[in-house]
């Protein structure tokens, strides 16, 4: 259970995240929605401690995450894998090494610097790559891959961390509609097959509605909606997105007409 | 066992079979790197043996060094006028370095673009300018100083010319490599909106490479202040002449004073150029 207690983050005068309280039960697929600048990214980055909170606390299974330092902090970061909008792979390294970077936290410094990964770790990395149909790319340089393939590599890197939680920060914002579906399906598969909790920032309402089982709407740093997707009425959407509301929903309609709507899952 | 670890464990044998190269022993995967490393180590040991590298001689020499150090204390000049002469000569050295570095940079600036694959006119021009830069770089500053002293006579002018010629070659190479490493995308942006090749270089490449080039020039200015002392010894002006004179007349206190003065000048340049570089890079990130 992840519990966030009145978390805030200030950048100068601006309050990016303002007194946010949430609790996330294990196994869920939670979408964090809202317009750009609503504080979604900052919230996710604070959970991974890439960004320090200005106030408030984050608790995981009763442990205070905001107080962690050194090895304990690195262990926590391994527990809550991060997926980025720009993939954040090392372009000049091969795909397999990029995925194996997810094992760094569990590998000794000497072994990792010499790239002496254990056979078990290699098998895990390859197994992850195969599960997302990119096993054949293991030896290629990451920078030679397409955006959709790179994001799948990043998901594999997250997966070999054996995380309890996956934080995906706008994972599909730089992808085309087909790759959007592939990546979102991959996240759903992780959630269902491995039982890993997913917290996903999304811009598109339609995607959020079809993939998430709970939506958290943010506006100007505050949580203004927190419920199942069915409860997200047009009225709430307008409050969340203001004038952009038509835009995000329209783009959602386009996505649907392009065959984006995922088939009903019988998991 | 569950999750990905479980998947990997149940599939372990099959994965091994499907990706034999990934599971091959490290020695098989990395033999080229290991071979090169071994070769380098052998070459290193051979070099030590061939050049009669001896720790014994270093150890006995160390005592000699200690004796010199005591002779150097305290670092003072014999008289005030002499101290003033040293200071003037140091100023001359710094100005030789500054002028030489600036002129070298100005000369190398167009050469760098001509020698860069992504900014040159054509392959022939690129090849010719590369070889030209190689040639002038092949001759060291000290040799250039000796040449220029014979051409224009003794004095700081020969020193400036020596630094200019030697470093134009070095700058040309560094600049062209910087230009080649620059990002292509801004250039594409300019070309795509109908810009000429020259405009693409001016607006797509130059803003990227200029701060790096300035950093290189500042470093060379600092480094040349040290080089300028050496070329002074061959008569190309500056404090080097006084340094060699003090060594020849065994005035060790004067030697240590000069060395400390050079050290102070270099440290000062380092501080100032650090500030300048930071200002330039800061400016760039603000504009970006």
């Amino acid at each position: 259970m992840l519990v966030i207690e009145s978390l805030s983050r200030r950048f100068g005068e601006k309050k990016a995240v303002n007194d946010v309280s949430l609790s996330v039960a294990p196994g869920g697929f939670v979408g964090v929605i809202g317009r750009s600048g609503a504080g979604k990214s900052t919230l996710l980055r604070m959970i991974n401690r890439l960004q320090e909170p200005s106030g408030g606390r984050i608790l995981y299974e009763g442990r205070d995450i905001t107080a962690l330092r050194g090895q304990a902090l690195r262990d926590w970061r391994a527990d809550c894998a991060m997926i980025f909008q720009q993939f954040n792979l090392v372009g000049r390294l091969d795909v397999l090494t990029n995925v194996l970077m997810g094992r760094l936290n569990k590998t000794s410094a000497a072994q990792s610097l010499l790239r002496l990964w254990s056979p078990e770790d290699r098998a895990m990395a390859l197994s992850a790559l195969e599960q997302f149909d990119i096993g054949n790319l293991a030896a290629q340089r990451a920078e030679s891959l397409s955006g959709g393939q790179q994001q799948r590599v990043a998901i594999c890197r997250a997966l070999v961390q054996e995380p309890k939680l996956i934080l995906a920060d706008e994972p599909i914002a730089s992808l085309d509609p087909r790759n959007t579906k592939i990546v979102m399906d991959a996240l759903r598969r992780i959630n269902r097959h491995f039982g890993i909790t997913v917290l996903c920032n999304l811009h598109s309402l339609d995607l959020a509605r079809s993939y998430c089982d709970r939506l958290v709407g943010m506006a100007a740093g505050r949580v203004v909606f927190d419920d199942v997707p069915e409860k997200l009425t047009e009225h709430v959407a307008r409050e969340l997105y203001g004038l952009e509301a038509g835009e995000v929903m329209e783009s959602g309609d386009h996505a649907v007409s392009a065959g984006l709507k995922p088939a009903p899952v019988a998991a | 066992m569950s999750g990905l670890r479980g998947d990997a464990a149940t599939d372990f044998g099959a994965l091994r079979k499907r990706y034999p190269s990934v599971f091959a022993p490290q020695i098989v995967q990395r033999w080229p790197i290991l071979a090169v490393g071994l070769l380098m180590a052998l070459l290193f040991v051979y070099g030590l043996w061939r050049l009669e590298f001896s720790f014994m001689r270093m150890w006995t020499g160390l005592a000699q060094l200690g004796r010199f150090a005591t002779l150097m204390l305290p670092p003072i000049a014999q008289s005030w006028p002499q101290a003033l002469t040293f200071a003037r000569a140091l100023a001359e050295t710094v100005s030789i370095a500054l002028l030489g570095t600036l002129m070298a940079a100005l000369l190398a600036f167009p050469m760098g673009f001509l020698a860069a694959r992504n900014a040159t006119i054509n392959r022939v021009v690129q090849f010719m300018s590369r070889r030209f830069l190689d040639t002038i770089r092949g001759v060291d500053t000290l040799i250039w100083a000796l040449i220029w002293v014979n051409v224009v006579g003794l004095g700081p002018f020969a020193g400036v010319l020596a630094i200019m010629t030697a470093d134009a070659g070095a700058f040309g190479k560094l600049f062209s490599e910087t230009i080649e490493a620059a990002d292509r995308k801004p250039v594409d942006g300019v070309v795509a909106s109908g810009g000429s090749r020259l405009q693409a270089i001016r607006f797509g490449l130059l803003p990227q490479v200029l701060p790096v080039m300035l950093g290189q020039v500042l470093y060379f200015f600092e480094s040349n202040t040290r080089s300028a002392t050496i070329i002074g010894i061959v008569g190309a002006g500056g404090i080097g002449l006084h340094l060699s004179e003090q060594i020849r007349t065994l005035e060790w206190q004067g030697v240590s004073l000069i060395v400390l003065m050079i050290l102070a000048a270099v440290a000062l340049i380092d501080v100032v150029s650090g500030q300048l570089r930071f200002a330039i890079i800061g400016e760039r990130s603000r504009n970006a």
Side-chain angles (χ1 to χ4, degrees):
Chain A
M1 184 81 140
L2 177 77
V3 179
I4 296 169
E5 288 177 352
S6 56
L7 198 66
S8 297
R9 168 72 207 202
R10 211 174 291 115
F11 291 111
E13 285 296 295
K14 192 176 176 289
K15 278 187 171 168
V17 171
N18 192 357
D19 197 25
V20 166
S21 295
L22 275 180
S23 56
V24 179
F29 195 127
V30 181
V32 183
I33 54 173
R35 60 208 288 184
S36 340
K40 312 188 294 282
S41 279
T42 311
L43 178 67
L44 247 63
R45 291 172 70 89
M46 280 197 287
I47 297 173
N48 186 273
R49 289 278 308 276
L50 276 177
Q51 210 118 51
E52 290 299 314
S54 318
R57 285 202 308 172
I58 302 164
L59 300 161
Y60 188 80
E61 284 164 0
R63 214 155 52 109
D64 187 358
I65 297 306
T66 29
L68 296 179
R69 294 172 146 273
Q71 185 60 44
L73 173 59
R74 290 194 290 275
D75 290 346
W76 163 248
R77 284 182 172 150
D79 277 346
C80 65
M82 193 98 191
I83 293 168
F84 300 88
Q85 179 181 341
Q86 291 298 334
F87 329 128
N88 295 21
L89 300 176
V90 184
R92 293 181 54 82
L93 291 178
D94 59 278
V95 165
L96 190 73
T97 308
N98 267 291
V99 175
L100 281 164
M101 266 183 251
R103 298 300 304 163
L104 285 178
N105 184 253
K106 310 280 191 308
T107 313
S108 77
Q111 270 186 327
S112 59
L113 293 183
L114 292 171
R115 304 216 281 188
L116 298 171
W117 315 102
S118 73
E120 290 74 28
D121 286 353
R122 286 162 211 246
M124 271 173 77
L126 285 170
S127 173
L129 286 169
E130 280 200 340
Q131 293 189 34
F132 297 109
D133 307 316
I134 44 174
N136 55 326
L137 302 178
Q140 283 198 33
R141 266 195 192 185
E143 64 193 358
S144 69
L145 270 52
S146 74
Q149 289 169 334
Q150 288 196 34
Q151 193 60 296
R152 275 183 280 166
V153 174
I155 291 176
C156 291
R157 176 177 66 187
L159 212 50
V160 299
Q161 289 176 221
E162 299 180 284
K164 300 183 173 111
L165 193 66
I166 281 190
L167 308 168
D169 188 8
E170 301 269 8
I172 44 95
S174 1
L175 302 178
D176 62 43
R178 201 179 70 87
N179 279 309
T180 295
K181 182 169 156 49
I182 291 174
V183 165
M184 287 309 293
D185 285 348
L187 285 176
R188 185 196 328 245
R189 192 179 133 70
I190 290 170
N191 179 244
R192 299 265 161 89
H193 181 74
F194 298 110
I196 298 170
T197 315
V198 175
L199 232 77
C200 184
N201 280 355
L202 285 169
H203 195 72
S204 155
L205 261 183
D206 205 68
L207 276 177
R209 275 208 186 102
S210 36
Y211 282 94
C212 307
D213 45 39
R214 173 182 167 193
L215 293 182
V216 173
M218 287 185 75
R222 289 179 179 278
V223 172
V224 292
F225 175 85
D226 184 1
D227 212 326
V228 291
E230 291 73 34
K231 292 273 177 63
L232 189 84
T233 57
E234 190 158 332
H235 176 71
V236 182
R238 237 165 252 297
E239 192 187 337
L240 264 175
Y241 287 93
L243 288 174
E244 282 175 57
E247 210 181 298
V248 283
M249 291 199 278
E250 203 180 18
S251 74
D253 290 341
H254 280 306
V256 175
S257 60
L260 244 188
K261 196 121 192 168
V265 187
Chain B
M1 249 197 285
S2 66
L4 184 64
R5 185 173 288 276
D7 291 353
T10 43
D11 210 19
F12 192 72
L15 281 170
R16 244 196 144 114
K17 210 166 283 169
R18 274 201 295 275
Y19 302 95
S21 63
V22 173
F23 292 95
Q26 290 299 310
I27 192 114
V28 178
Q29 281 183 43
R30 298 192 190 172
W31 73 264
I33 298 170
L34 288 172
V36 169
L38 201 68
L39 203 74
M40 303 259 280
L42 281 174
L43 207 64
F44 182 73
V45 171
Y46 174 73
L48 287 183
W49 171 73
R50 203 52 222 266
L51 297 178
E52 295 166 20
F53 189 86
S54 149
F55 286 104
M56 262 323 278
R57 257 161 57 193
M58 259 172 79
W59 187 245
T60 47
L62 225 53
Q64 192 75 359
L65 206 66
R67 204 170 62 80
F68 274 126
T70 54
L71 286 176
M72 284 183 175
L73 290 173
I76 45 165
Q78 281 162 310
S79 62
W80 276 111
Q82 193 193 27
L84 207 65
T85 316
F86 287 171
R88 256 197 224 112
L90 182 65
E92 193 174 84
T93 291
V94 173
S95 42
I96 289 172
L98 182 67
L99 225 62
T101 312
L102 274 180
M103 283 166 70
L106 285 177
L107 271 179
F109 186 72
M111 293 296 300
F113 283 92
L114 290 180
R117 195 174 7 87
N118 53 344
T120 190
I121 298 166
N122 59 43
R123 293 195 71 101
V124 179
V125 173
Q126 192 211 351
F127 180 82
M128 299 289 279
S129 29
R130 287 238 139 161
R131 295 295 81 80
F132 175 70
L133 290 172
D134 287 348
T135 312
I136 48 175
R137 208 169 56 243
V139 180
D140 191 70
T141 316
L142 194 59
I143 315 292
W144 279 119
L146 286 167
I147 294 171
W148 284 116
V149 162
N150 281 303
V151 176
V152 299
L154 291 168
F157 182 45
V160 172
L161 290 175
I163 287 184
M164 181 195 80
T165 28
D167 284 3
F171 275 142
K173 184 180 169 63
L174 283 174
F175 287 177
S176 70
E177 280 173 5
T178 307
I179 294 163
E180 283 178 357
D183 191 1
R184 228 191 105 82
K185 281 176 246 154
V187 180
D188 282 351
V190 177
V191 172
S193 39
S196 71
R197 204 171 155 67
L198 199 64
Q199 288 166 329
I201 290 171
R202 168 65 184 82
F203 293 102
L205 280 180
L206 198 63
Q208 293 188 64
V209 297
L210 209 54
V212 185
M213 287 179 175
L214 280 167
Q216 288 163 346
V217 170
L218 285 169
Y219 169 70
F220 266 65
F221 172 44
E222 180 212 302
S223 151
N224 277 337
T225 307
R226 280 172 273 139
S227 305
T229 62
I230 295 178
I231 61 174
I233 295 176
V234 301
I239 201 160
L241 188 66
H242 297 278
L243 185 62
S244 65
E245 202 177 273
Q246 296 290 307
I247 292 174
R248 225 181 19 240
T249 54
L250 304 178
E251 291 289 343
W252 295 109
Q253 296 186 343
V255 170
S256 59
L257 176 68
I258 292 177
V259 168
L260 285 178
M261 282 167 74
I262 295 169
L263 224 67
V266 169
L268 193 71
I269 292 168
D270 185 48
V271 169
V272 173
S273 73
Q275 301 266 334
L276 251 165
R277 230 170 51 82
F278 193 74
I280 294 159
I281 294 170
E283 190 70 32
R284 186 175 63 153
S285 62
R286 215 175 306 143
N287 288 345

